[in-house]
Amino acid sequence: VGLGGAGFPSFIKLNPGARTAIDELIINAAECEPYISCDDMLMRERAAEVIQGIQIMQHALQASRSVIGIEDNKPEAYSALTDALSKLGISDIDVVRIPTIYPTGGEKQLIKVLTGKESPSHGLPLDIGVVCHNVATAAAIFQAIIHNKPLISRIITLTGKGINKPGNHELLIGTPIDEWIEHSGGYHESIKQLIMGGPMMGQPLASLGVPVVKGTSGLLAFCEGELAEQ
């Protein structure tokens, strides 16, 4: 699956059907929501994997060009990506900084910002010659093709004033949330709410008896009034 918010099956996007080639491959490196920073850390630490994963997708799609759209509040990740492109000698992948405005990280909004094209309301970006993948999906494809590693883990953000030791962690899919939190120093005594995902579109959790899943980008632990302050 894709590691963006929707978890759309990647193999569908990588099979353009009647189209023999795609005009543009868009890589979504704009984190959709506040607080979440797992993609930012992935790009900082594994930029070469991301770039090589993009090359694999570009080859599969026979895309004319690839563009990485990254929010302008991620200077370290931007530098890591451009440095990796330079070291690998790659010239057909562009990194473009875009304004940090919600919901620019949405697929159709990002495509509009980067290409000027509008996806049909009842269709797919594929209909206008564009395919969009999440930056973490690119890294996962690199791992799958080059190292034969299935999608058994992902980087996830744990943050909020309700957590004693916030951070980004690579977790195995299926890791119990209560064990993850215990490993991260446990809760702050004034915690009031847990949200799986981001503050805009995440799901409040009534129980810790759930595991990390492929679509888990973050776990937010809020104290009283913290969400309202932002």
Side-chain angles (χ1 to χ4, degrees):
V1 302
L3 293 178
F8 193 81
S10 299
F11 76 92
I12 294 178
K13 291 184 176 183
L14 290 171
N15 286 275
R19 278 186 167 268
T20 57
I22 295 299
D23 300 326
E24 292 171 295
L25 169 61
I26 302 298
I27 301 300
N28 189 342
E31 254 146 349
C32 295
E33 301 209 45
Y35 289 95
I36 306 298
S37 58
C38 51
D39 287 350
D40 185 12
M41 293 307 299
L42 169 69
M43 290 183 284
R44 292 194 206 185
E45 298 192 358
R46 302 178 184 176
E49 292 186 15
V50 170
I51 297 299
Q52 291 173 88
I54 294 170
Q55 285 186 296
I56 293 169
M57 290 192 288
Q58 187 171 344
H59 174 75
L61 293 165
Q62 292 296 291
S64 303
R65 65 189 290 256
S66 295
V67 180
I68 304 170
I70 183 170
E71 289 177 318
D72 56 13
N73 67 345
K74 298 175 175 58
E76 296 93 344
Y78 175 84
S79 295
L81 291 173
T82 53
D83 288 348
L85 286 169
S86 177
K87 290 176 181 177
L88 293 168
I90 297 170
S91 59
D92 58 352
I93 299 176
D94 297 321
V95 186
V96 178
R97 282 180 280 200
I98 58 175
T100 306
I101 302 173
Y102 182 85
T104 304
E107 180 179 77
K108 292 184 177 182
Q109 290 87 347
L110 182 63
I111 290 171
K112 173 67 174 178
V113 169
L114 292 175
T115 71
K117 299 178 181 178
E118 291 194 14
S119 302
S121 59
H122 297 291
L124 296 171
L126 187 62
D127 298 327
I128 56 171
V130 176
V131 169
C132 185
H133 280 280
N134 179 268
V135 66
T137 307
I141 286 175
F142 167 82
Q143 289 290 339
I145 299 299
I146 303 302
H147 296 299
N148 199 32
K149 177 188 173 184
L151 182 58
I152 58 173
S153 67
R154 66 165 295 161
I155 298 175
I156 308 174
T157 299
L158 178 63
T159 191
K161 293 180 180 178
I163 290 293
N164 287 322
K165 295 181 180 179
N168 285 285
H169 308 117
E170 182 170 8
L171 298 180
L172 291 171
I173 305 302
T175 299
I177 284 180
D178 55 353
E179 292 186 15
W180 178 24
I181 292 174
E182 182 181 354
H183 178 75
S184 302
Y187 300 114
H188 191 277
E189 60 183 13
S190 59
I191 186 172
K192 293 295 182 182
Q193 187 177 38
L194 277 174
I195 297 175
M196 182 180 284
M200 305 290 192
M201 299 177 66
Q203 296 294 321
L205 295 181
S207 167
L208 295 180
V210 294
V212 166
V213 296
K214 293 178 181 179
T216 304
S217 59
L219 184 67
L220 310 184
F222 290 128
C223 295
E224 186 70 44
E226 182 179 0
L227 186 56
E229 293 172 0
Q230 299 302 315

